């Protein structure tokens, strides 16, 4: 916890697609809530270890992970994605400070995660992953600028940030001039 202000729930593979491979899809909500409970306990432990008189604001980000295979566009309709993300978001929302759409590879997936998160009233961050070819496109082929435009067009009041993760610094550097335009 040294230096961390936000910790993320460890539910990255707690999605129907992954759990169904093991016949555990019915455990999605309980596993997701268990991840949130572990994060809550970690925050409490970190606070208990602070020197007397020292306070620190620590937050929990509840992960809204890729719904099928990381770095690939899910083979789901937008409605199916919103439904699956809504289940995860509802399971996390009582225990987290922010919902984090994490390592999302397409505009459709990002918009679905943001829409589902918005229904909970919890602050939302959406993190996208860029293709390694320095083209400023998401791994699923959508333009970064177009994806951001689509997220902004949703006009979600709790959408606080659009982030980039799981891509090289070179990819991020290449995308910055396009974002500044």
């Amino acid at each position: 916890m040294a230096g961390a202000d936000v910790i993320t729930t460890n539910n990255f593979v707690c999605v129907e697609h992954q759990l169904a491979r093991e016949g555990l899809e019915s455990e999605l909500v309980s596993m997701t809530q268990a991840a949130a409970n572990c994060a809550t306990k970690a925050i409490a432990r970190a606070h208990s270890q602070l020197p007397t008189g020292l306070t620190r604001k620590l937050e929990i980000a509840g992960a809204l992970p890729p719904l099928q295979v990381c770095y690939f566009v899910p083979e789901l309709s937008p409605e199916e994605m919103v439904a699956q993300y809504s289940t995860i978001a509802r399971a996390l929302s009582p225990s987290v400070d922010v919902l984090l759409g994490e390592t999302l590879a397409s505009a459709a997936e990002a918009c679905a995660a943001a829409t589902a998160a918005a229904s909970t009233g919890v602050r939302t961050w959406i993190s996208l992953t860029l293709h390694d070819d320095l083209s400023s496109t998401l791994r699923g082929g959508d333009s970064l600028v177009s994806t951001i435009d689509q997220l902004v067009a949703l006009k979600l009041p709790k959408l606080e940030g659009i982030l980039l993760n799981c891509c090289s610094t070179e990819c991020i550097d290449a995308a910055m001039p396009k974002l500044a335009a």
Side-chain angles (χ1 to χ4, degrees):
M1 187 70 75
D5 293 322
V6 178
I7 64 166
T8 305
T9 56
N10 188 10
N11 62 300
F12 197 78
V13 294
C14 289
V15 294
E16 286 182 24
H17 176 79
Q18 297 295 343
L19 295 174
R21 295 170 58 193
E22 302 298 326
L24 296 171
E25 59 270 35
S26 66
E27 300 297 319
L28 180 121
V29 170
S30 64
M31 288 180 167
T32 301
Q33 289 171 334
N37 290 337
C38 286
T40 300
K41 289 177 183 174
I43 294 281
R45 183 172 182 210
H47 278 136
S48 74
Q49 295 176 353
L50 290 173
T52 304
L54 183 63
T55 60
R56 185 168 170 200
K57 182 173 171 54
L58 301 173
E59 294 187 303
I60 300 171
L64 300 175
L67 292 174
Q68 292 185 331
V69 179
C70 197
Y71 299 152
F72 293 92
V73 177
E75 295 177 3
L76 299 167
S77 71
E79 296 79 18
E80 290 171 308
M81 287 189 276
V82 169
Q84 288 187 32
Y85 277 128
S86 292
T87 299
I88 298 166
R90 282 191 309 271
L92 292 168
S93 64
S95 304
V96 303
D97 301 292
V98 62
L99 288 165
L100 170 63
E102 186 178 4
T103 317
L104 304 180
S106 73
E109 194 171 30
C111 289
T115 299
S119 71
T120 68
V122 174
R123 296 168 29 225
T124 304
W125 302 339
I126 297 296
S127 192
L128 309 167
T129 185
L130 298 174
H131 197 282
D132 291 328
D133 64 4
L134 306 180
S135 63
S136 301
T137 59
L138 276 57
R139 291 183 189 270
D142 297 319
S143 152
L144 174 61
V145 172
S146 172
T147 300
I148 291 171
D149 289 344
Q150 290 175 56
L151 286 164
V152 170
L154 294 173
K155 297 183 179 177
L156 303 174
K158 297 283 186 166
L159 179 58
E160 292 184 347
I162 300 171
L163 318 168
L164 300 172
N165 77 308
C166 291
C167 46
S168 71
T169 55
E170 292 84 7
C171 293
I172 295 170
D173 285 345
M176 284 299 126
K178 292 181 174 131
L179 295 176

